[in-house]
Amino acid sequence: MTIAMPRLDRLPAAERGITIADFLVPIRVGERMSVRARHLALIVAGALLVYLSSRISIPLGFTPVPITGQTFGVLLVGGALGFRRGFASIGLYVLIGLVGVPFFAEGKGGLSIVLGATGGYLVGFIVAGAIVGRLAELGWDRNLLGSIGAMVVGSAVIYAIGVPWLAVVAKMAPSDAIANGLTPFLLTDTIKLLAVALLFPAAWWVVGRRPGDG
């Protein structure tokens, strides 16, 4: 007896690897740029978008983890850019903050932040961006149900790395780490992931209606 496993790829072979970011660069601009330059521009733009999302920050007095817009930015950048570019873009964001530029939430930066209580979330951002990007390359973001699924996976990855890291660095019991690093953010992160999940099918619908694309 064999157990049927759901297929991860939801696109014809010829369309796999194409993400919504490949339609973001205007044709006239793209024709004047090399492929490498286009990829680099998208990677830098993605890092800046995550930085801008980190400016939305609400500290909570009982936990070192603030409410931020970063999850929204990470899921959006990962899904838009795909596996390699998403990994590179969010990795660039973390690297810039790592060297001391105040790129992280609450205007923080430096190695101490990456190695501190919230550093696991930053590592989780990189991994989640790559995974969501890969799912987008396989077509998950082209319909609402698949898009929600991809964003749920990405959010789960962030917490799967961030919460245990918080427990170890802050010397918290697992239950306390969950109470401080997961539970307070479930509502806001659900809103953020649903917002991102809605954007992708809408963007693909717009792309499909562009003259010459269908």
Side-chain angles (χ1 to χ4, degrees), residues 1 28 111 126 153 163 172:
M1 179 179 177
R28 291 182 181 179
L111 180 61
I126 300 173
V153 170
V163 174
M172 293 181 181

Side-chain angles (χ1 to χ4, degrees), residues 20-105:
I20 198 66
D22 294 306
F23 298 91
L24 294 179
V25 180
I27 295 175
R28 291 182 181 179
V29 174
E31 288 175 346
R32 300 173 184 174
M33 302 172 67
S34 67
V35 173
R36 181 173 296 180
R38 289 200 300 272
H39 289 331
L40 182 59
L42 289 170
I43 288 168
V44 172
L48 290 175
L49 194 153
V50 178
Y51 162 71
L52 291 174
S53 71
S54 76
R55 299 299 87 192
I56 302 171
S57 181
I58 304 173
L60 302 175
F62 60 89
T63 174
V65 185
I67 295 174
T68 76
Q70 286 170 297
T71 306
F72 178 90
V74 165
L75 297 177
L76 182 61
V77 168
L81 298 186
F83 177 74
R84 290 194 180 103
R85 292 179 303 195
F87 178 87
S89 184
I90 300 169
L92 175 62
Y93 163 77
V94 173
L95 179 62
I96 293 172
L98 176 66
V99 299
V101 179
F103 242 45
F104 300 147

Side-chain angles (χ1 to χ4, degrees), residues 6 8 11 13 37 55 61 65 68 84 86-87 89 120 126 135 139 142-143 146 158 162 188 196 205 211:
L8 290 177
L11 293 174
R55 299 299 87 192
V65 185
T68 76
R84 290 194 180 103
F87 178 87
S89 184
I126 300 173
L135 294 176
R142 301 198 183 194
N143 64 78
I158 293 171
T188 54
V196 179
W205 180 82

Side-chain angles (χ1 to χ4, degrees), residues 109-120:
L111 180 61
S112 62
I113 303 301
V114 178
L115 297 180
T118 59

